[in-house]
Amino acid sequence: MNFEKYPFERLTELLQDIIPNEKYELSALTIGEPKFETPQFIQDKLKETSSLLKKYPSTIGEPFLRESMINFVKTRFNVSLQMNQIIPSFGTREVLFNFPQFALFNKKNPVIAFTNPFYQIYEGAAIAARAEVIHIDLTKENNFKANLSDEDLKRCDLVIINFPNNPTSASMSIEELGSWVEKALKYDFILVNDECYSEIYFDEKTKPASLLEASLLVGNESFKNILVMNSISKRSSAPGLRSGFIAGDEQILKEYLQYRTYVGCASPVPLQEAAAVAWNDQEHVAGFRKIYKKNFEIANEILGTPIPDATFYIWLEVEDELEFTRNLYKEKNVKVLPGSFLGRNGLGKGYIRIALVENEIKTRDVLTRLKDFIDG
């Protein structure tokens, strides 16, 4: 398999010959990893249940974990799921990689489409599945929203969209998502929305909708051809718990569950215990949202960038993203990610991605450095 280098490996190569300005402490705005402590009640649950390491975890997950995820979906999206409509996963990265291989295995000439620029695991899954790729280009001209021609959709076996979007921070309305559900039914392809940023929003009136909600909106009550993925990594500042899920079409999930028994990605029971209390609690998530909103307010004040509906990313337009990244690191000891490392066919060129995952004080300091660099 010929996988492309991961963006962070490419960034290391880009910056390897640069000596940064030692006047400043290094600030890395590159990785979408929250820099906040995992809430204490989650940590306590993990400690309290460590004796359960003596048990083999089941592939399907403990009932209490699935119930907590179902409760989350009901509380957040007002969608009622049955036990056979959800499968816990070891975060979303593993399921985003292995689900396409499962779904496309029996296709003679498989075709997968996904948003571009993108989380690189989508491309890795396509390579592993030997699938032809159709890119769903997200551009300033289309407001970074997903659209694909009927001719391309007719060829697709699997489509992965990602809203709220990494890296552009764009969101799609429930009606826009609903039109994608209708296309998935009309052209009979599996439609997946990677929703791991759904909980990092800043206004109750504009909080992101789920593809599951959109499915119900257009009358697809069985979620035929429709799946969503989500995780607690961002919402609970707990990426190390590796707790995610895939939910939707029970017929697809029934076969996928059998496949997963061979994959060996079952989560240890103590991690499931800690994840369950996180999924069941919404209050701590609201606290994190306030932090991220404040960071965007600081960015708006310093850089003039708009506050998006969701995510913790700024997709900042620059003249030459590679030179910008190199010179910013050299002069201000700040690392950002060139947008071209996240896209194909020229998408992402002329942008950098900034992850606002630090506290208010660090965010103000580093964005001030960034502004000073831009003003030159």
Side-chain angles (χ1 to χ4, degrees), residues 66-86 210-217 220-224 226 228 245-250 253:
R66 284 182 287 155
E67 288 169 358
S68 72
M69 293 170 168
I70 288 172
N71 178 59
F72 160 74
V73 173
K74 177 62 177 178
T75 302
R76 171 65 174 83
F77 302 111
N78 196 29
V79 174
S80 299
L81 295 175
Q82 304 301 314
M83 281 287 204
N84 58 359
Q85 293 176 312
I86 194 165
S210 170
L211 189 65
L212 297 177
E213 291 179 276
S215 188
L216 296 180
L217 179 69
N220 184 18
E221 297 182 1
S222 67
F223 307 115
K224 177 177 170 56
I226 302 303
V228 302
F245 65 73
I246 179 171
D249 187 325
E250 65 184 87
L253 293 180

Side-chain angles (χ1 to χ4, degrees), residues 185-316:
L185 295 173
K186 180 178 180 180
Y187 297 117
D188 195 26
F189 59 80
I190 298 172
L191 175 64
V192 174
N193 192 21
D194 175 2
E195 299 183 352
C196 70
Y197 293 94
S198 69
E199 303 315 287
I200 311 299
Y201 62 85
F202 312 114
D203 189 330
E204 286 292 324
K205 296 178 181 178
T206 56
K207 62 185 179 183
S210 170
L211 189 65
L212 297 177
E213 291 179 276
S215 188
L216 296 180
L217 179 69
V218 299
N220 184 18
E221 297 182 1
S222 67
F223 307 115
K224 177 177 170 56
N225 289 0
I226 302 303
L227 295 165
V228 302
M229 300 176 190
N230 213 323
S231 92
I232 62 170
S233 296
K234 319 297 183 185
R235 73 182 285 276
S236 298
S237 191
L241 275 181
R242 310 310 304 133
S243 180
F245 65 73
I246 179 171
D249 187 325
E250 65 184 87
Q251 298 304 317
I252 297 174
L253 293 180
K254 181 180 179 180
E255 296 181 15
Y256 179 56
L257 177 60
Q258 185 175 20
Y259 165 87
R260 287 184 65 82
T261 61
Y262 290 88
V263 174
C265 288
S267 176
V269 180
L271 270 66
Q272 294 189 49
E273 291 274 7
V277 298
W279 283 111
N280 274 322
D281 184 82
Q282 311 306 320
E283 188 173 338
H284 74 286
V285 189
F288 286 129
R289 281 197 289 268
K290 290 180 181 178
I291 296 172
Y292 292 125
K293 183 176 182 180
K294 182 63 179 178
N295 284 349
F296 274 112
E297 290 172 346
I298 292 170
N300 177 260
E301 171 194 336
I302 295 174
L303 301 176
T305 50
I307 299 174
D309 289 338
T311 83
F312 45 54
Y313 295 118
I314 294 176
W315 191 233
L316 186 67

Side-chain angles (χ1 to χ4, degrees), residues 34-91:
K35 301 302 181 183
F36 310 108
E37 285 293 316
T38 302
Q40 193 61 46
F41 75 96
I42 301 174
Q43 295 188 48
D44 289 344
K45 191 65 173 180
L46 180 61
K47 295 171 186 175
E48 293 166 9
T49 57
S50 62
S51 64
L52 296 174
L53 286 170
K54 65 185 179 183
K55 294 182 61 177
Y56 276 116
S58 65
T59 300
I60 188 59
E62 298 296 326
F64 64 77
L65 177 61
R66 284 182 287 155
E67 288 169 358
S68 72
M69 293 170 168
I70 288 172
N71 178 59
F72 160 74
V73 173
K74 177 62 177 178
T75 302
R76 171 65 174 83
F77 302 111
N78 196 29
V79 174
S80 299
L81 295 175
Q82 304 301 314
M83 281 287 204
N84 58 359
Q85 293 176 312
I86 194 165
I87 298 175
S89 61
F90 207 56

Side-chain angles (χ1 to χ4, degrees), residues 9-18 321-323 325-326 338 341:
E9 181 181 356
R10 295 177 65 185
L11 179 65
T12 298
E13 293 177 352
L14 180 71
L15 303 179
Q16 64 184 353
D17 62 340
I18 296 176
E321 77 284 1
L322 299 180
E323 281 304 303
T325 299
R326 285 173 57 86
F341 290 1

